[in-house]
Amino acid sequence: MPQNMLTRYTPTDFSQLKGLRGISDQQIEAHLKLYDGYVSNTNKLNERIAELFDQGKGGTREFAELRRNAGFEYNGMILHEYYFGNLTPHGRGAPMDRGEIGMAVSDSFGGWDAWKEDFQLVGEIRGVGWAILYQDPITGRLSNHWVTLHQDGHPAGFKPILVMDVWEHAFMLDYSPAERSKYIEAFFGNIDWDAVERRLVSSAAVRPAAA
Ligand SMILES: [Fe+2]
C-alpha cells in the first residue's frame, strides 16, 4: 500500500483553551470532542482505503466514495486545528495596528476596519462553513473567503492565516442560531494575533504584488 496510508493522526492538545470570553469552556469542550471525531474518522478512512488498495479493490464504488470523502474528513481535522490554534484566553480584543500582520492587512484591505467588516460579513453568510483569511504565498496578498462544509471554496495554494468556524456546533451552547453575529464578535475578542502572525509567509519569500 502507499506509505502515506499508514500515517496515524493524533488530536492536538488544546486544553489551554479555558477561560475564553464569550465562548464557554463547555462549548470548547464539546467542540474539541467533535474535532477528535474528525481525527478518528480520517484515520479510519485511510485504513479502509489501504485495505481496499491491498485487496485490489481500487476500482470499486466504495474506494471512489472514500476518496471523495477525504476532502471532508481531512479538512474537518485540519481546519479545526487552525481554528483552535488561533484562539487564546489572553486575546487582546483588538487587532494589532503594527507588526507584519498589521502591515499585511493594511496593504491588502486598506485598514483593519475594512478587513474586519468584510470578515464578519463573510462569517455571517447563511449555511454551515468557515470564514478564512488566506494569504497568497506568491504575492503575499491577503483575502477573505467563505468555505462551505469543510472543503468547498478553498483558493488553491493559498495559506490559511485566520480561521473562524461558523458551523452552529461552534456556538450553539452559548448562542442561538440567530445570534451568530454575537459569537463572531466574541471570536474577535479571543484571537491569538501572535499565532496568526506566525502563519504569515515571510515577506522576503513573496513576490511583490502587481501595482
Ligand atoms: Fe467545528
Side-chain angles (χ1 to χ4, degrees):
M1 73 182 72
Q3 284 295 308
N4 63 349
M5 293 294 173
L6 300 174
T7 300
R8 294 279 310 170
Y9 294 94
T10 53
T12 302
D13 179 12
F14 291 108
S15 57
Q16 78 280 10
L17 289 183
K18 288 188 168 60
L20 299 179
R21 285 162 296 169
I23 304 176
S24 67
D25 291 350
Q26 292 85 348
Q27 175 64 76
I28 290 291
E29 199 175 316
H31 204 171
L32 284 171
K33 278 190 187 145
L34 198 132
Y35 155 64
D36 286 351
Y38 281 108
V39 177
S40 167
N41 283 338
T42 299
N43 288 328
K44 285 181 196 158
L45 180 91
N46 279 336
E47 282 167 19
R48 184 61 185 148
I49 289 172
E51 276 176 15
L52 292 171
F53 185 94
D54 283 347
Q55 293 165 3
K57 294 179 179 171
T60 61
R61 186 170 291 186
E62 183 187 0
F63 184 87
E65 199 49 47
L66 288 170
R67 300 311 287 250
R68 286 196 187 99
N69 191 238
F72 182 80
E73 301 294 359
Y74 266 80
N75 283 302
M77 172 175 70
I78 295 162
L79 289 179
H80 280 106
E81 288 166 0
Y82 275 102
Y83 169 74
F84 292 121
N86 57 218
L87 290 175
T88 175
H90 311 295
R92 278 172 276 177
M96 296 177 297
D97 55 6
R98 294 190 297 276
E100 203 172 344
I101 184 68
M103 286 189 287
V105 166
S106 195
D107 286 350
S108 295
F109 292 89
W112 282 110
D113 291 344
W115 166 76
K116 185 180 174 187
E117 184 178 352
D118 185 53
F119 193 79
Q120 177 132 14
L121 289 170
V122 172
E124 289 179 10
I125 290 172
R126 291 174 62 225
V128 290
W130 303 77
I132 303 180
L133 170 68
Y134 289 92
Q135 185 181 33
D136 176 350
I138 305 293
T139 65
R141 288 263 187 199
L142 302 182
S143 50
N144 295 323
H145 296 262
W146 170 258
V147 167
T148 299
L149 299 174
H150 303 314
Q151 72 274 29
D152 294 331
H154 296 284
F158 282 28
K159 191 168 188 281
I161 301 297
L162 174 69
V163 172
M164 178 170 69
D165 191 340
V166 289
W167 285 59
E168 283 167 10
H169 68 240
F171 59 88
M172 62 190 292
L173 295 186
D174 296 328
Y175 304 98
S176 73
E179 293 178 318
R180 192 194 286 190
S181 61
K182 288 187 183 173
Y183 156 72
I184 292 174
E185 203 50 51
F187 172 85
F188 278 125
N190 292 294
I191 294 173
D192 184 344
W193 287 105
D194 292 335
V196 172
E197 189 163 59
R198 284 195 295 273
R199 292 173 181 165
L200 283 174
V201 175
S202 163
S203 58
V206 301
R207 193 183 70 206

